[in-house]
Amino acid sequence: MLLAYYDCESSKGTANACILSISGVLVSTDSPEPIESFTLYSKPRKSRPVEVDAMLINGLDLDFLSKQDSYGVMLKKLVKIFTKWKNKGAIFVGYNNLNYDNLLINNSLFVNLRWPYLLSGGNGQFDLLPVVRATQVFAPGVINYEYNEKNLPIFKLSSISKANGIPIKAHDSLGDSIATYQCGRLLAKKAPEVFEASLKLRNKITVKPKLESTPIVCWMEAWRQAKIHCGTSLGEGIFPGWFLMYDLRQPVDEILELLNDTEAFKKKLDASPKFIRVCKSTRAPLLMDKKYALLEKTYKDIGMKEIEKRQKIVEKNKSEILNKIKLIQQDRFDEKKELNQRRPEPEEMIYDLNPNTEERKVMDAFNMAETIQDKKKLFNMFKRDEVKTLAEMVIYEEHNEEEFIKILSKRDYTRIKKRIANFILKNEKENNIFTNIPSQFARLDTLKIQAENDEDNEKMKKLIKLDKYLFSMQSNYEKYI
């Protein structure tokens, strides 16, 4: 079995960030030695300021990054490597990757007019962080954890590595990839049943058959600390692949009594502890045997006979409960959609743009084009304004002004710079697509005072360099406001 461990370091703390460094390590479960590894770097994008805190955490030097590949070239290399590994049958693994790194890669590819779901399909992928959390409750004591001041386990990769004697160069994409690999090896050895469960549902198409064939399952959820839940699937809610799980700690009779009282049912649906939980098929859910429910005091007190009895009652009334919940979900979704009237920017439309086959062909050719003439010809083949905006941004990022106006025009160049200026220079809180420069200057002021008080000269040097970088970018765009 081939496993491809990967990690990204980025320009900000959300999926709308830019990848500044990405590494991967390809390994075989038959050998402890990696087969191959890589690290790719990218220049910071001309249109996207970096976040100060993100740069302090990742430790990447702006002077070093300025000499690296453009964003488009870096992505082209990444697609080539990951496609090769995917074709070899690799399963992709990260640490919190399904909540961050995978989304970051998807969004980066999408805004560059590439097929965003690079790691989907094939042999699938899974996240090692839930495995670490699940091991604490399903296989207690087999690996070590550090604890915080509230005596809760710390699940950060650096902490898990330290507690288990795994060397790590933290917040370094290659260092984190290697540490994730070593952590995976440890879990496969010490908690094989949990590790193997994480592999089983790495492809979303396997989740529904598993839930339909297993009346009662256990899973782990973590908020402050990991906790076992035991339940049964009602089926999909209004979102495809989001399965609604009835938590069997909740007596079923109490729920059935509320089915004809919508307001009372809504209150119960929102009350804590929640009796309906969500299993997302796209998140490689880790589902365990029902026997593990008895490790949790609540279920142990209920007893397995009562748990099984409740499941049978739920099964008989499943359609009625599910339909009631779906009606409430749909009403709330429609209400939220009605309240949110802001038109999404093209960069936010990864799930809405849905290019057809012909558009994808043009996008692929656009990214493969090597001459300015070909880029211009292909750009003119795009029909939708949203796609054209993304293409314009790619041209702006990958070409200097002289080249840009040979593909489009001077007027287009000015218009694009005005668009960027409106995002990065106006202090508007609702903008979460591009990092906002005024907010970063405010953050720098705070951090400089802290560094000065701490007499931290190294940190102050980094802050001054970031200040100059942001000031230079601001100067480049402020005349377009």
Side-chain angles (χ1 to χ4, degrees):
M1 183 187 299
L2 292 178
L3 299 174
Y5 291 89
Y6 69 99
D7 180 76
C8 302
E9 298 297 329
S10 65
S11 62
K12 63 186 286 190
T14 71
N16 290 321
C18 302
I19 301 169
L20 298 178
S21 169
I22 181 167
S23 298
V25 180
L26 183 66
V27 302
S28 169
T29 52
D30 297 327
S31 172
E33 295 300 319
I35 298 170
E36 60 179 292
S37 64
F38 75 90
T39 298
L40 299 175
Y41 296 99
S42 169
K43 290 183 175 74
R45 295 177 67 183
K46 293 187 289 186
S47 63
R48 307 281 187 107
V50 299
E51 273 187 1
V52 172
D53 288 288
M55 297 305 292
L56 291 176
I57 290 171
N58 64 44
L60 292 167
D61 181 71
L62 288 168
D63 292 334
F64 169 78
L65 292 175
S66 69
K67 301 172 185 175
Q68 304 306 315
D69 289 327
S70 68
Y71 208 63
V73 171
M74 182 275 293
L75 288 175
K76 184 177 181 179
K77 291 179 178 179
L78 177 65
V79 169
K80 183 177 180 181
I81 294 169
F82 274 1
T83 300
K84 181 181 73 172
W85 288 6
K86 190 174 178 178
N87 291 340
K88 286 183 176 182
I91 300 166
F92 289 86
V93 195
Y95 202 89
N96 198 32
N97 56 306
L98 294 183
N99 285 321
Y100 186 72
D101 302 78
N102 181 57
L103 300 180
L104 175 59
I105 292 171
N106 288 353
N107 277 282
S108 295
L109 293 169
F110 167 73
V111 299
N112 280 271
L113 298 179
R114 293 181 178 275
W115 177 242
Y117 308 112
L118 176 61
L119 303 184
S120 300
N123 279 284
Q125 64 170 323
F126 69 97
D127 191 338
L128 208 63
L129 175 56
V131 186
V132 169
R133 287 170 168 162
T135 297
Q136 194 226 353
V137 292
F138 290 125
V142 301
I143 66 171
N144 300 321
Y145 298 87
E146 293 184 321
Y147 292 82
N148 62 21
E149 65 279 0
K150 295 182 179 179
N151 201 34
L152 296 175
I154 302 171
F155 296 116
K156 291 181 179 179
L157 178 60
S158 57
S159 179
I160 294 296
S161 298
K162 181 180 177 183
N164 291 279
I166 296 172
I168 181 174
K169 185 178 179 183
H171 303 299
D172 171 88
S173 60
L174 183 58
D176 283 351
S177 296
I178 293 172
T180 303
Y181 157 52
Q182 295 294 348
C183 186
R185 286 188 66 205
L186 177 71
L187 290 164
K189 180 180 179 182
K190 295 285 188 73
E193 193 167 352
V194 180
F195 187 81
E196 288 166 12
S198 68
L199 283 167
K200 287 179 180 177
L201 301 179
R202 62 187 185 273
N203 286 315
K204 64 180 182 180
I205 58 172
T206 60
V207 176
K208 185 176 181 179
K210 171 68 176 178
L211 292 173
E212 289 178 342
S213 63
T214 314
I216 302 174
V217 295
C218 287
W219 68 95
M220 175 279 310
E221 291 184 17
W223 187 76
R224 293 186 179 173
Q225 60 182 337
K227 189 174 183 179
I228 292 174
H229 292 272
C230 175
T232 185
S233 172
L234 295 173
E236 291 177 286
I238 64 170
F239 303 112
W242 289 30
F243 294 89
L244 303 182
M245 307 295 292
Y246 186 100
D247 194 323
L248 292 168
R249 74 179 70 209
Q250 171 64 50
V252 189
D253 291 343
E254 294 179 12
I255 301 304
L256 296 179
E257 289 174 1
L258 301 175
L259 283 176
N260 294 322
D261 187 338
T262 300
E263 291 305 313
F265 190 88
K266 283 181 181 179
K267 288 180 181 178
K268 185 64 179 177
L269 196 61
D270 296 334
S272 184
K274 294 189 180 298
F275 75 95
I276 296 296
R277 315 195 81 84
V278 179
C279 172
K280 299 178 183 179
S281 62
T282 55
R283 295 299 180 92
L286 198 159
L287 302 179
M288 303 291 287
D289 188 89
K290 64 183 180 181
K291 67 181 181 183
Y292 288 98
L294 303 182
L295 294 176
E296 170 72 27
K297 185 179 184 303
T298 303
Y299 299 111
K300 186 176 181 181
D301 290 344
I302 294 171
M304 187 53 69
K305 283 188 178 180
E306 176 63 19
I307 289 172
E308 291 172 342
K309 179 182 175 183
R310 291 179 182 182
Q311 186 277 323
K312 289 176 182 176
I313 299 173
V314 171
E315 184 65 30
K316 290 179 182 178
N317 297 275
K318 182 163 65 175
S319 296
E320 195 175 356
I321 299 172
L322 177 61
N323 290 336
K324 188 73 174 181
I325 296 171
K326 288 174 72 172
L327 284 172
I328 293 170
Q329 281 187 329
Q330 190 64 55
D331 285 344
R332 289 177 171 177
F333 177 75
D334 292 342
E335 184 180 347
K336 184 177 180 181
K337 193 173 181 181
E338 188 175 326
L339 288 172
N340 184 16
Q341 296 296 322
R342 184 179 73 85
R343 179 173 176 156
E345 295 294 331
E347 289 87 348
E348 299 174 287
M349 298 177 67
I350 184 170
Y351 303 117
D352 301 313
L353 198 59
N354 297 322
N356 58 36
T357 303
E358 288 305 310
E359 280 182 314
R360 283 184 60 185
K361 286 180 180 178
V362 179
M363 290 176 181
D364 290 342
F366 180 80
N367 276 298
M368 294 287 289
E370 295 184 356
T371 69
I372 286 175
Q373 291 77 14
D374 287 342
K375 275 267 174 79
K376 183 173 184 176
K377 178 181 177 181
L378 290 160
F379 176 85
N380 290 328
M381 294 174 69
F382 293 129
K383 304 298 182 186
R384 289 191 284 172
D385 290 341
E386 296 86 357
V387 179
K388 286 183 177 180
T389 297
L390 293 177
E392 288 172 341
M393 293 298 292
V394 172
I395 296 168
Y396 175 79
E397 289 286 352
E398 297 299 312
H399 297 275
N400 59 35
E401 181 177 357
E402 182 182 351
E403 293 169 337
F404 182 99
I405 62 179
K406 288 180 180 177
I407 302 172
L408 297 174
S409 69
K410 179 67 175 179
R411 179 179 294 179
D412 291 323
Y413 187 79
T414 300
R415 177 173 52 79
I416 289 296
K417 294 202 77 167
K418 283 183 177 179
R419 178 175 189 261
I420 297 167
N422 281 324
F423 281 125
I424 70 174
L425 297 184
K426 289 186 178 179
N427 203 355
E428 298 174 353
K429 292 183 179 179
E430 65 268 19
N431 166 37
N432 61 356
I433 308 172
F434 294 57
T435 298
N436 181 276
I437 288 180
S439 67
Q440 294 308 300
F441 279 139
R443 181 62 178 152
L444 275 168
D445 290 342
T446 300
L447 292 172
K448 283 179 183 177
I449 292 171
Q450 292 176 357
E452 187 175 358
N453 291 339
D454 296 338
E455 297 182 355
D456 191 336
N457 294 329
E458 287 303 311
K459 186 174 183 178
M460 183 62 81
K461 288 178 183 177
K462 292 177 182 178
L463 294 173
I464 291 172
K465 185 177 286 190
L466 284 163
D467 198 329
K468 289 179 179 178
Y469 156 80
L470 290 169
F471 181 78
S472 175
M473 181 174 278
Q474 177 181 261
S475 300
N476 184 32
Y477 288 101
E478 58 189 356
K479 70 179 181 180
Y480 293 94
I481 288 292

